[in-house]
């Protein structure tokens, strides 16, 4: 973008127009580059499927997008598992989700009160869209049925 | 309007007491319990009937039976509040059929017949120009059916979900607040009279599932039975699981849910933010109705208890009095 006052606003506007959230802005003036152009790197969260709208918004504002970097998994869903989670091979349960390629187990907190008593675990699964989270949860439900543990899901997770 | 009460346990007695105490234009002309009955077409002396029940365990004399009452012409509305039978609905189902077939209105708190034979009873009532009302079968004192039928008439209901069982809610509340184990909380619920000696019906989610069947059939005409509901109870929920939810300001409640568009008809423990209106304490029930015009409506109230159930029965009786009382 042009290195002149008010130019950053022309980048921020299209992001806020689509309901996005800016996480960081790296704004570096490279003395070697010369001219009046400036490279800006922005990390932001945007609603699923809105990337093309954002890019076209930038173009309208006269901003060239040089590169769209890594898209990260941003949708998370936490469930609680109750049962003999270790005895039924928790690693295998995690692998089943991770091996889908579209979702992965991001966090696991487990409470094991006593040997032979059921464990309780909070498992957070992340993915880049709601549809894939729901696909992963359907797989987890099948695993729970086969291994005999209980899944407690969030109310809004339908 | 003349009322016959079948079943003279705490709900039946509660209904009789309210009718005697309030000026509602209702008179009780017949009562029956499992061992006796009484009929007086000009109106029974409720105080005497209650006192007789207290002293002898019988509300009337053994020579008068439910059949005598049903075949008499001494009543306009049958209040059927005998104990429920979830498997067959009997004997209440037979009583309700006979009254409706005779053109009498019926008000019941009995879940079994309504859950098992909703369509048949609904049709029978329509064929005989009678009314069947059952507000007390779902969530006790909460005017759920009235709200759906009258309060939000004209709305399309897309989804209905909530806490339908007070015993489970009490147990989960105590586990969350005091860190009690499931067994400890259940024991406490029994000691306080919130749970039966055999708590299976409540804690396995069956009671909540029966209420969902009634709602699915009454609200959407889904023709469902208990076998169609996915049911998971709360007996497998650990206090550690609740503590894990509480770390993120959430908790666990037994949620019943009907979402016809997505084929959901289930009862299961669910994680829910503590700030959600459905997170009610102790034995309360709470139901959220999702509608197209009114948005979301959440009703909260006592789901059980004799006076609360009597409240629902009385409101059904007064609805009939106001809407159908002069049809003769």
């Amino acid at each position: 973008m042009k290195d002149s006052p008010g130019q950053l606003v022309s980048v921020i506007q299209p992001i806020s127009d689509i309901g996005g959230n800016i996480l960081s802005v790296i704004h570096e003036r490279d003395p070697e580059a010369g001219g009046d152009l400036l490279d800006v790197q922005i990390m932001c969260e945007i609603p699923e499927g809105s990337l093309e709208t954002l890019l076209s918004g930038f173009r309208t504002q006269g901003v060239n997008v040089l590169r769209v970097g890594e898209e990260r998994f941003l949708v998370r869903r936490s469930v609680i598992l109750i049962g003999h989670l270790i005895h039924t091979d928790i690693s295998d349960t995690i692998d089943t989700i991770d091996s889908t390629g579209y979702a992965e187990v991001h966090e696991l907190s487990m409470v094991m009160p006593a040997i032979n008593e059921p464990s309780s675990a909070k498992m957070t699964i992340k993915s880049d869209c709601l549809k894939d989270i729901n696909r992963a949860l359907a797989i987890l439900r099948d695993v729970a049925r086969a291994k005999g543990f209980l899944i407690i899901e969030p109310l809004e997770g339908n | 309007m003349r009322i016959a009460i079948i079943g003279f346990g705490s709900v039946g007695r509660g209904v009789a007491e309210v009718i005697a105490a309030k000026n509602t234009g209702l008179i009780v002309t017949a009562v029956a319990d499992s061992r006796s009955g009484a009929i007086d077409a000009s109106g029974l002396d409720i105080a005497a009937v209650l006192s007789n029940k207290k002293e002898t365990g019988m509300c009337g004399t053994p020579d008068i039976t439910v059949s005598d009452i049903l075949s008499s012409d001494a009543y306009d509305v049958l209040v059927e509040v005998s104990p429920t039978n979830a498997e067959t609905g009997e004997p209440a189902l037979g009583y309700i059929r006979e009254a409706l077939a005779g053109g009498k209105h019926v008000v019941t708190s009995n879940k079994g017949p309504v859950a098992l034979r909703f369509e048949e009873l609904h049709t029978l009532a329509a064929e005989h120009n009678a009314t069947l009302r059952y507000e007390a079968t779902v969530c006790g004192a909460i005017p759920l059916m009235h709200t759906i039928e009258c309060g939000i008439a004209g709305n399309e209901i897309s989804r209905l979900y909530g806490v339908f069982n007070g015993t489970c809610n009490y147990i989960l509340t105590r586990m969350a607040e005091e860190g009690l184990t499931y067994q400890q909380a259940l024991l406490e619920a029994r000691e306080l009279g919130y749970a039966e000696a055999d708590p299976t019906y409540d804690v396995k989610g069956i009671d909540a599932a029966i209420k969902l069947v009634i709602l699915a059939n009454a609200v959407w005409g889904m023709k469902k039975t208990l076998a169609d509901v996915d049911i998971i109870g709360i007996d497998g929920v650990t206090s550690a699981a609740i503590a894990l939810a509480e770390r993120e300001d959430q908790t666990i409640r037994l949620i019943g849910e009907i979402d016809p568009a997505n084929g959901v008809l289930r009862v299961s423990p669910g994680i829910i933010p503590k700030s959600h209106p459905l997170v009610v304490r102790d034995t309360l029930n709470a139901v959220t109705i999702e509608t197209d015009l009114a948005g979301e409506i959440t009703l909260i109230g006592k789901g059980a208890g004799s006076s609360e159930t009597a409240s629902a029965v009385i409101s059904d009786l007064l609805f009939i009095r106001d809407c159908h009382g002069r049809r003769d």
Side-chain angles (χ1 to χ4, degrees):
Chain A
M1 65 175 66
K2 279 187 185 154
D3 186 10
S4 60
Q7 279 301 291
L8 204 52
V9 176
S10 63
V11 178
I12 292 168
Q13 189 61 44
I15 297 175
S16 75
D17 284 348
I18 59 161
N21 179 35
I22 295 173
L23 299 174
S24 71
V25 179
I26 300 170
H27 176 272
E28 255 179 331
R29 189 172 282 107
D30 181 358
E32 303 286 309
D36 62 348
L37 289 178
L38 190 68
D39 284 356
V40 177
Q41 185 183 320
I42 296 176
M43 188 189 289
C44 57
E45 287 176 339
I46 57 171
E48 191 192 339
S50 60
L51 184 60
E52 278 309 313
T53 313
L54 180 63
L55 296 179
S56 121
F58 285 148
R59 277 192 292 273
T60 311
Q61 296 280 344
V63 175
N64 289 316
V65 176
L66 298 177
R67 187 167 63 89
V68 176
E70 183 189 3
E71 268 190 77
R72 296 203 181 163
F73 288 157
L74 282 177
V75 183
R76 292 189 176 88
R77 178 69 47 83
S78 293
V79 295
I80 290 175
L81 314 179
I82 303 173
H84 294 291
L85 306 172
I86 303 290
H87 298 176
T88 56
D89 196 353
I90 188 82
S91 302
D92 169 73
T93 305
I94 293 168
D95 284 347
T96 312
I97 301 300
D98 289 353
S99 64
T100 57
Y102 51 76
E104 63 184 63
V105 174
H106 170 66
E107 196 184 312
L108 189 75
S109 319
M110 194 179 292
V111 181
M112 294 174 285
I115 295 168
N116 295 329
E117 275 196 33
S119 306
S120 306
K122 184 164 76 68
M123 178 184 274
T124 305
I125 298 173
K126 61 179 187 174
S127 181
D128 57 0
C129 68
L130 201 56
K131 188 175 141 223
D132 285 343
I133 282 277
N134 287 333
R135 282 162 73 192
L137 280 175
I139 293 170
L140 189 62
R141 279 182 216 120
D142 289 340
V143 173
R145 254 190 300 276
K147 293 187 174 182
F149 60 76
L150 172 65
I151 302 183
I152 303 182
E153 295 183 39
L155 173 66
E156 55 275 274
N158 300 313
Chain B
M1 203 167 68
R2 301 166 307 158
I3 313 297
I5 302 174
I6 306 298
F8 214 58
S10 58
V11 175
R13 292 199 303 274
V15 171
E17 279 167 9
V18 175
I19 291 175
K22 297 195 180 191
N23 183 18
T24 54
L26 308 175
I27 51 167
V28 179
T29 51
V31 294
D33 53 29
S34 56
R35 296 158 59 198
S36 67
I39 307 177
D40 183 340
S42 61
L44 291 165
D45 178 349
I46 296 298
V49 172
L50 287 165
S51 144
N52 194 32
K53 176 77 179 174
K54 199 173 177 183
E55 282 162 25
T56 66
M58 293 191 286
C59 64
T61 54
D63 58 323
I64 296 176
T65 65
V66 175
S67 296
D68 296 329
I69 292 173
L70 291 174
S71 59
S72 75
D73 205 25
Y75 71 102
D76 304 305
V77 187
L78 182 75
V79 170
E80 202 294 311
V81 288
S82 69
T84 197
N85 179 328
E87 274 90 50
T88 66
E90 296 294 357
L93 182 56
Y95 304 155
I96 295 172
R97 274 195 190 116
E98 191 176 339
L100 291 175
K104 309 289 190 186
H105 305 300
V106 173
V107 173
T108 186
S109 63
N110 205 317
K111 295 184 194 70
V114 183
L116 290 166
R117 291 280 182 267
F118 179 81
E119 203 190 358
E120 178 205 324
L121 296 176
H122 194 65
T123 308
L124 191 63
E127 283 170 0
H128 293 87
N129 198 22
T131 309
L132 170 67
R133 298 197 65 84
Y134 42 87
E135 181 72 79
T137 59
V138 184
C139 297
I142 300 178
L144 183 56
M145 299 310 306
H146 278 81
T147 300
I148 291 170
E149 282 175 299
C150 308
I152 53 169
N155 278 263
E156 272 177 39
I157 299 175
S158 52
R159 183 173 171 228
L160 206 153
Y161 58 102
V163 169
F164 291 92
N165 184 274
T167 305
C168 291
N169 205 62
Y170 181 83
I171 291 171
L172 294 172
T173 306
R174 295 295 291 161
M175 288 172 75
E177 290 183 355
E178 303 294 330
L180 301 182
T181 65
Y182 166 75
Q183 289 298 342
Q184 287 167 333
L186 173 61
L187 195 66
E188 192 181 85
R190 270 191 197 152
E191 281 169 1
L192 291 168
Y194 298 148
E196 304 287 332
D198 175 7
T200 311
Y201 192 67
D202 290 317
V203 300
K204 293 277 187 192
I206 301 163
D207 172 68
I210 289 172
K211 292 168 185 167
L212 286 194
V213 170
I214 293 172
L215 287 168
N217 295 340
V219 177
W220 287 280
M222 290 168 77
K223 298 181 185 174
K224 297 293 182 185
T225 69
L226 194 54
D228 297 315
V229 189
D230 295 322
I231 310 173
I232 300 172
I234 60 158
D235 48 339
V237 175
T238 58
S239 41
I242 296 177
L244 284 168
E246 299 251 331
R247 277 186 205 171
E248 293 186 1
D249 229 17
Q250 296 180 315
T251 192
I252 294 176
R253 286 291 188 265
L254 185 70
I255 305 289
E257 184 181 6
I258 314 173
D259 181 355
N262 291 303
V264 174
L265 182 61
R266 74 167 161 239
V267 174
S268 64
I271 305 169
I272 180 167
K274 284 166 88 173
S275 57
H276 196 285
L278 287 186
V279 180
V280 289
R281 285 174 51 90
D282 298 334
T283 58
L284 286 175
N285 284 192
V287 183
T288 296
I289 312 164
E290 280 184 7
T291 70
D292 60 342
L293 305 176
E296 283 188 11
I297 291 175
T298 299
L299 304 172
I300 297 171
K302 290 185 178 170
S306 54
S307 120
E308 290 81 2
T309 309
S311 157
V313 170
I314 294 289
S315 103
D316 275 345
L317 283 171
L318 297 183
F319 182 88
I320 291 174
R321 180 199 67 185
D322 294 343
C323 298
H324 306 279
R326 296 190 192 94
R327 74 192 171 94
D328 293 331

Coordinates of all heavy atoms in Angstrom, one line a residue, chain B residues 31-80:
Chain B
V31 N -66.4 -38.6 43.0 CA -65.0 -38.9 43.2 C -64.9 -40.4 43.3 O -65.8 -41.1 43.7 CB -64.4 -38.3 44.5 CG1 -64.4 -36.8 44.4 CG2 -65.2 -38.7 45.7
A32 N -63.7 -40.9 42.9 CA -63.4 -42.3 43.2 C -61.9 -42.5 43.4 O -61.1 -41.8 42.8 CB -63.8 -43.1 41.9
D33 N -61.6 -43.4 44.3 CA -60.2 -43.9 44.4 C -60.2 -45.4 44.1 O -61.1 -45.9 43.6 CB -59.6 -43.6 45.8 CG -60.5 -44.1 47.0 OD1 -61.2 -45.1 46.7 OD2 -60.5 -43.5 48.0
S34 N -59.1 -46.1 44.4 CA -59.0 -47.4 44.0 C -59.9 -48.4 44.7 O -60.2 -49.5 44.3 CB -57.5 -47.9 44.1 OG -57.1 -47.8 45.5
R35 N -60.5 -47.9 45.9 CA -61.3 -48.8 46.7 C -62.7 -48.3 46.9 O -63.6 -49.1 47.4 CB -60.7 -48.9 48.1 CG -59.3 -49.6 48.1 CD -58.5 -49.2 49.3 NE -59.2 -49.6 50.5 CZ -58.9 -49.1 51.7 NH1 -57.9 -48.2 51.9 NH2 -59.5 -49.5 52.8
S36 N -63.0 -47.1 46.5 CA -64.4 -46.6 46.8 C -64.8 -45.5 45.8 O -64.0 -45.0 45.1 CB -64.4 -46.1 48.2 OG -63.6 -44.9 48.3
G37 N -66.0 -45.0 46.0 CA -66.5 -43.9 45.2 C -67.7 -43.2 45.8 O -68.3 -43.7 46.8
A38 N -68.0 -42.0 45.3 CA -69.2 -41.3 45.8 C -69.7 -40.5 44.7 O -69.0 -39.9 43.8 CB -68.7 -40.3 46.9
I39 N -71.1 -40.4 44.6 CA -71.7 -39.6 43.5 C -72.8 -38.8 44.1 O -73.6 -39.4 44.9 CB -72.4 -40.5 42.4 CG1 -71.3 -41.5 41.8 CG2 -72.9 -39.7 41.3 CD1 -71.9 -42.5 40.8
D40 N -72.9 -37.6 43.8 CA -74.1 -36.8 44.1 C -74.2 -35.7 43.1 O -73.4 -34.8 43.0 CB -73.9 -36.1 45.5 CG -75.1 -35.3 46.0 OD1 -76.0 -35.0 45.1 OD2 -75.3 -35.1 47.2
A41 N -75.2 -35.9 42.2 CA -75.4 -35.0 41.1 C -75.6 -33.6 41.4 O -75.4 -32.6 40.6 CB -76.6 -35.5 40.2
S42 N -76.0 -33.3 42.7 CA -76.2 -31.9 43.1 C -74.9 -31.3 43.7 O -74.9 -30.2 44.1 CB -77.4 -31.8 44.0 OG -77.1 -32.6 45.2
G43 N -73.9 -32.1 43.8 CA -72.6 -31.6 44.4 C -72.3 -32.3 45.7 O -73.1 -32.3 46.6
L44 N -71.0 -32.8 45.8 CA -70.6 -33.5 47.0 C -70.1 -32.5 48.0 O -69.7 -31.4 47.7 CB -69.4 -34.5 46.7 CG -69.8 -35.7 45.9 CD1 -68.5 -36.3 45.3 CD2 -70.5 -36.7 46.7
D45 N -70.2 -32.9 49.3 CA -69.6 -32.0 50.4 C -68.1 -32.4 50.4 O -67.8 -33.4 51.0 CB -70.3 -32.4 51.7 CG -69.8 -31.6 52.9 OD1 -68.7 -31.0 52.7 OD2 -70.4 -31.6 53.9
I46 N -67.3 -31.5 49.8 CA -65.9 -31.9 49.7 C -65.2 -32.0 51.1 O -64.4 -32.9 51.3 CB -65.1 -30.7 48.9 CG1 -65.7 -30.7 47.5 CG2 -63.6 -31.0 48.9 CD1 -65.5 -32.0 46.7
A47 N -65.6 -31.2 52.0 CA -65.0 -31.3 53.4 C -65.2 -32.6 53.9 O -64.3 -33.3 54.5 CB -65.5 -30.2 54.3
A48 N -66.5 -33.1 53.8 CA -66.8 -34.5 54.3 C -66.1 -35.6 53.6 O -65.6 -36.5 54.2 CB -68.3 -34.7 54.2
V49 N -65.9 -35.4 52.3 CA -65.2 -36.4 51.5 C -63.7 -36.5 51.9 O -63.2 -37.6 52.1 CB -65.3 -36.1 50.0 CG1 -64.4 -37.1 49.1 CG2 -66.8 -36.3 49.5
L50 N -63.1 -35.3 52.1 CA -61.7 -35.3 52.4 C -61.5 -35.8 53.8 O -60.6 -36.6 54.1 CB -61.2 -33.8 52.4 CG -61.0 -33.2 51.0 CD1 -60.9 -31.7 51.1 CD2 -59.8 -33.8 50.4
S51 N -62.4 -35.5 54.7 CA -62.3 -36.0 56.1 C -62.5 -37.6 56.1 O -61.8 -38.3 56.8 CB -63.3 -35.3 56.9 OG -63.9 -36.1 57.9
N52 N -63.5 -38.0 55.3 CA -63.7 -39.5 55.2 C -62.4 -40.2 54.7 O -62.0 -41.2 55.2 CB -64.9 -39.7 54.3 CG -65.4 -41.2 54.3 OD1 -65.3 -41.8 55.4 ND2 -65.9 -41.7 53.2
K53 N -61.8 -39.6 53.7 CA -60.6 -40.1 53.1 C -59.5 -40.2 54.1 O -58.7 -41.2 54.2 CB -60.1 -39.3 51.9 CG -58.8 -39.7 51.2 CD -59.0 -40.9 50.3 CE -57.7 -41.3 49.7 NZ -57.8 -42.6 48.9
K54 N -59.4 -39.2 54.9 CA -58.3 -39.1 55.9 C -58.5 -40.2 57.0 O -57.6 -40.8 57.4 CB -58.3 -37.7 56.6 CG -57.0 -37.3 57.3 CD -57.1 -35.9 57.7 CE -55.8 -35.6 58.5 NZ -55.8 -34.2 59.0
E55 N -59.8 -40.3 57.4 CA -60.1 -41.3 58.5 C -60.1 -42.7 58.1 O -59.6 -43.6 58.8 CB -61.4 -40.9 59.1 CG -61.3 -39.7 60.1 CD -62.7 -39.1 60.3 OE1 -63.7 -39.8 60.2 OE2 -62.8 -37.9 60.6
T56 N -60.6 -43.0 56.9 CA -60.8 -44.4 56.5 C -60.0 -44.8 55.3 O -59.9 -46.0 55.0 CB -62.3 -44.6 56.0 OG1 -62.5 -43.9 54.8 CG2 -63.3 -44.2 57.1
G57 N -59.3 -43.9 54.7 CA -58.5 -44.2 53.5 C -59.4 -44.3 52.2 O -58.9 -44.6 51.2
M58 N -60.7 -44.1 52.4 CA -61.6 -44.2 51.3 C -62.3 -42.9 51.1 O -62.7 -42.3 52.1 CB -62.6 -45.3 51.5 CG -62.0 -46.7 51.5 SD -63.3 -48.0 51.5 CE -63.9 -48.0 53.1
C59 N -62.5 -42.5 49.8 CA -63.2 -41.2 49.6 C -64.7 -41.4 49.6 O -65.4 -40.4 49.7 CB -62.7 -40.6 48.3 SG -63.1 -41.6 46.9
G60 N -65.2 -42.6 49.5 CA -66.6 -42.8 49.5 C -67.0 -44.2 50.0 O -66.4 -44.6 51.0
T61 N -67.9 -44.9 49.4 CA -68.3 -46.2 49.8 C -67.8 -47.3 48.8 O -67.8 -47.0 47.6 CB -69.8 -46.3 50.0 OG1 -70.4 -45.9 48.8 CG2 -70.3 -45.4 51.1
P62 N -67.5 -48.5 49.3 CA -67.0 -49.5 48.4 C -67.9 -50.0 47.3 O -67.5 -50.5 46.3 CB -66.6 -50.7 49.3 CG -66.6 -50.1 50.7 CD -67.5 -48.9 50.7
D63 N -69.2 -49.7 47.5 CA -70.2 -50.2 46.5 C -70.3 -49.3 45.3 O -71.0 -49.6 44.3 CB -71.6 -50.4 47.2 CG -72.1 -49.1 47.8 OD1 -71.2 -48.3 48.3 OD2 -73.3 -48.8 47.7
I64 N -69.6 -48.1 45.3 CA -69.6 -47.3 44.1 C -68.2 -47.3 43.5 O -67.2 -47.1 44.1 CB -69.9 -45.8 44.5 CG1 -71.4 -45.8 45.0 CG2 -69.8 -44.9 43.3 CD1 -71.8 -44.4 45.5
T65 N -68.2 -47.7 42.2 CA -66.9 -47.9 41.5 C -66.7 -46.8 40.4 O -67.7 -46.0 40.1 CB -66.9 -49.3 40.8 OG1 -67.9 -49.2 39.8 CG2 -67.1 -50.4 41.7
V66 N -65.5 -46.8 39.8 CA -65.3 -45.9 38.7 C -66.3 -46.1 37.6 O -66.8 -45.1 37.0 CB -63.8 -46.1 38.2 CG1 -63.6 -45.2 37.0 CG2 -62.8 -45.7 39.3
S67 N -66.6 -47.4 37.3 CA -67.6 -47.7 36.2 C -68.9 -47.0 36.5 O -69.6 -46.5 35.6 CB -67.8 -49.2 36.1 OG -66.6 -49.8 35.7
D68 N -69.3 -47.0 37.8 CA -70.6 -46.4 38.1 C -70.6 -44.9 37.8 O -71.6 -44.4 37.2 CB -70.9 -46.6 39.6 CG -71.1 -48.0 40.0 OD1 -71.6 -48.8 39.1 OD2 -70.8 -48.4 41.1
I69 N -69.5 -44.3 38.1 CA -69.3 -42.9 37.8 C -69.3 -42.6 36.3 O -70.1 -41.7 35.8 CB -68.1 -42.3 38.5 CG1 -68.2 -42.4 40.0 CG2 -67.8 -40.9 38.0 CD1 -67.0 -42.0 40.8
L70 N -68.5 -43.4 35.6 CA -68.4 -43.2 34.2 C -69.7 -43.3 33.4 O -70.0 -42.6 32.5 CB -67.3 -44.1 33.6 CG -65.9 -43.8 34.0 CD1 -65.0 -44.9 33.4 CD2 -65.4 -42.5 33.5
S71 N -70.5 -44.3 33.9 CA -71.8 -44.6 33.2 C -72.9 -43.7 33.7 O -74.0 -43.6 33.1 CB -72.2 -46.0 33.3 OG -72.3 -46.3 34.7
S72 N -72.6 -42.9 34.8 CA -73.7 -42.0 35.3 C -73.7 -40.7 34.4 O -72.8 -40.5 33.6 CB -73.4 -41.6 36.7 OG -72.3 -40.7 36.7
D73 N -74.7 -39.9 34.6 CA -74.7 -38.7 33.8 C -74.5 -37.5 34.8 O -75.0 -36.4 34.6 CB -76.1 -38.5 33.1 CG -75.9 -37.6 31.9 OD1 -74.8 -37.5 31.3 OD2 -76.9 -37.0 31.5
A74 N -73.7 -37.8 35.8 CA -73.6 -36.8 36.9 C -72.5 -35.8 36.7 O -72.2 -35.0 37.5 CB -73.4 -37.6 38.2
Y75 N -71.7 -36.0 35.5 CA -70.6 -35.1 35.4 C -70.5 -34.6 33.9 O -71.0 -35.2 33.0 CB -69.3 -35.8 35.8 CG -68.9 -36.9 34.8 CD1 -67.8 -36.7 33.9 CD2 -69.5 -38.1 34.8 CE1 -67.4 -37.7 33.0 CE2 -69.1 -39.2 33.9 CZ -68.1 -38.9 33.0 OH -67.7 -39.9 32.2
D76 N -69.8 -33.4 33.8 CA -69.5 -32.9 32.4 C -68.0 -33.1 32.1 O -67.7 -33.2 30.9 CB -69.8 -31.4 32.4 CG -71.2 -31.1 32.8 OD1 -72.1 -31.6 32.2 OD2 -71.4 -30.3 33.8
V77 N -67.2 -33.0 33.1 CA -65.7 -33.2 32.8 C -65.2 -34.3 33.7 O -65.4 -34.2 35.0 CB -65.0 -31.9 33.1 CG1 -63.5 -32.0 32.6 CG2 -65.6 -30.7 32.4
L78 N -64.4 -35.2 33.2 CA -63.7 -36.2 34.0 C -62.3 -35.7 34.3 O -61.6 -35.3 33.3 CB -63.6 -37.5 33.2 CG -62.9 -38.6 33.9 CD1 -63.9 -39.2 35.0 CD2 -62.5 -39.7 33.0
V79 N -62.0 -35.6 35.5 CA -60.6 -35.3 35.9 C -59.9 -36.6 36.3 O -60.2 -37.2 37.3 CB -60.5 -34.3 37.1 CG1 -59.1 -34.1 37.6 CG2 -61.1 -32.9 36.7
E80 N -59.0 -37.0 35.4 CA -58.4 -38.4 35.6 C -57.0 -38.1 36.1 O -56.1 -37.7 35.4 CB -58.4 -39.1 34.2 CG -58.3 -40.6 34.3 CD -57.0 -41.0 34.9 OE1 -55.9 -40.5 34.5 OE2 -57.0 -41.8 35.9

